[in-house]
């Protein structure tokens, strides 16, 4: 929404957010969850110009970068309120601080790093109070216990350690030669993940995707729902669309050091929405299939398991 320069900027601080929040609450109270609305709003000012394609401006680009800030989206997701406001540093200093009833004390600084933008902005969460401060996050510890009886796989453990020391947002697919079942893919992945979990202080996520289970396989949207709840997103704030859930999940884990264990996957399409887009996260996938497209498109590392050597098996 582009507002003419003749409209006082103080209106965007003193009255618009609270009135908009109240209207959203009223609307949401009379509609089922699928129709409820939550909004993020950015406040910034600057020169614009019109061309054959519409409106263009550096100020507009900057406003969209603020809206896309991972920390802002994560804090808003943890809030139960209907409206989140983020103001540029300039707008906060020049307008919010000097507006009557502008509630500058309710704004908190937030670091914004999106594409070429690296700045500090100020956010305010309206409506029901968040159960946590925006700076705090849950630290999920979902890894299953490692097997007490584990032998062999020394070379495989060493190769996993080599991947861990790389810095290219690694994804590892642990599969079996010729798709052999029961060869120890999950046991190896769980053992190694527990051994290195201290390298991921922001938490570990785990899900059994049931790709080759007698039960129906777990859909990506279901897995994401569980991950988002583990990351303190209120159930009412979890989007219904798969793409929206995946985008929120990636925002929440961005810049966090997390280990994600996706067990028993059937296909690349099943796991692709669960892959973070952050070099600070590591994903370990187990599957009977080779998941070649993950290797080709996402640059995943494949670790193929054969049967144990005779002495280890004994």
């Amino acid at each position: 929404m582009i507002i003419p320069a003749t409209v006082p900027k103080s209106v965007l601080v003193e009255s618009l957010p609270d009135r908009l929040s109240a209207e959203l609450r009223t609307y949401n109270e009379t509609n089922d969850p699928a129709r409820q609305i939550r909004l993020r709003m950015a406040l910034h000012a600057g020169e614009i110009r019109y061309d054959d394609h519409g409106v263009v401006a550096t100020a507009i680009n900057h406003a969209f970068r603020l809206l896309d800030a991972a920390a802002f989206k994560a804090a808003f997701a943890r809030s139960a309120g209907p409206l989140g406001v983020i103001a540029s540093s300039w707008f906060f200093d020049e307008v919010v601080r000097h507006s009557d009833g502008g509630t500058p004390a309710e704004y908190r600084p937030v670091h914004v790093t999106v594409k070429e933008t690296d700045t500090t902005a100020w956010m305010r969460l309206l409506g029901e109070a968040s159960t946590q401060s925006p700076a705090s996050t849950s630290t999920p510890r979902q890894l299953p216990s490692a097997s007490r009886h584990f032998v062999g796989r020394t070379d495989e453990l060493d190769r996993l350690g080599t991947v861990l020391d790389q810095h290219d947002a690694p994804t590892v697919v642990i599969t079996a030669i010729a798709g052999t079942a029961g060869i120890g893919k999950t046991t190896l992945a769980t053992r190694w993940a527990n051994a290195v979990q201290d390298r991921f202080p922001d938490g570990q996520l785990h899900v059994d995707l049931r790709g080759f289970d007698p039960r129906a396989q777990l859909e990506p949207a279901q897995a994401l729902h569980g991950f988002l709840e583990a990351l303190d997103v209120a159930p009412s704030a979890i989007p219904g669309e798969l793409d929206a859930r995946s985008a929120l999940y990636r925002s929440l884990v961005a810049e966090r050091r997390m280990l994600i264990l996706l067990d028993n996957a059937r296909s690349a399409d099943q796991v692709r929405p669960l892959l973070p887009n952050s070099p600070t996260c590591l994903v370990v996938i187990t599957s009977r299939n080779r998941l070649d497209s993950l290797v080709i498109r996402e640059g995943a590392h494949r670790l193929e398991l054969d049967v144990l050597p005779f002495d280890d098996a004994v």
Side-chain angles (χ1 to χ4, degrees), residues 29-186:
E29 288 170 358
T30 57
N31 284 275
D32 59 73
R35 295 175 58 86
Q36 291 178 3
I37 299 174
R38 305 181 81 234
L39 294 178
R40 301 193 314 274
M41 180 172 67
L43 299 177
H44 187 47
E47 297 294 327
I48 65 170
R49 64 184 178 86
Y50 294 87
D51 63 12
D52 294 338
H53 302 286
V55 182
V56 294
T58 301
I60 293 176
N61 292 339
H62 189 70
F64 278 108
R65 299 289 184 267
L66 298 181
L67 285 175
D68 202 35
F72 175 47
K73 291 197 289 187
F76 182 52
R78 293 192 299 272
S79 170
L83 178 66
V85 177
I86 184 167
S88 67
S89 180
W90 180 92
F91 198 95
F92 182 81
D93 289 337
E94 299 297 326
V95 183
V96 177
R97 287 188 187 276
H98 305 289
S99 296
D100 294 333
T103 60
E106 295 185 14
Y107 286 79
R108 298 181 179 88
V110 57
H111 187 211
V112 176
T113 306
V114 180
K115 295 185 178 180
E116 72 281 359
T117 300
D118 189 346
T119 186
T120 296
W122 294 82
M123 67 178 175
R124 179 188 176 200
L125 305 177
L126 290 88
E128 299 176 16
S130 173
T131 56
Q132 294 182 312
S133 67
S136 66
T137 55
S138 172
T139 305
R141 306 290 185 186
Q142 296 187 339
L143 291 180
S145 300
S147 173
R148 295 175 58 187
H149 307 289
F150 186 90
V151 295
R153 302 297 189 197
T154 302
D155 290 343
E156 289 84 353
L157 290 170
D158 288 343
R159 289 173 61 188
L160 287 169
T162 300
V163 172
L164 180 61
D165 292 330
Q166 298 180 8
H167 302 285
D168 57 350
T171 297
V172 181
V173 178
I174 299 177
T175 185
I177 295 176
T180 306
I183 203 170
K185 301 180 294 296
T186 297

Side-chain angles (χ1 to χ4, degrees), residues 9 14 16 23 41 47 58 113 116 127 133 143 149 170 179 181 185 192 209 243 270 277 292:
K9 297 180 181 63
E14 296 173 5
L16 178 61
E23 292 294 333
M41 180 172 67
E47 297 294 327
T58 301
T113 306
E116 72 281 359
S133 67
L143 291 180
H149 307 289
K185 301 180 294 296
W192 183 77
L209 295 173
D243 289 345
Q270 189 184 22
N277 185 23
D292 289 328

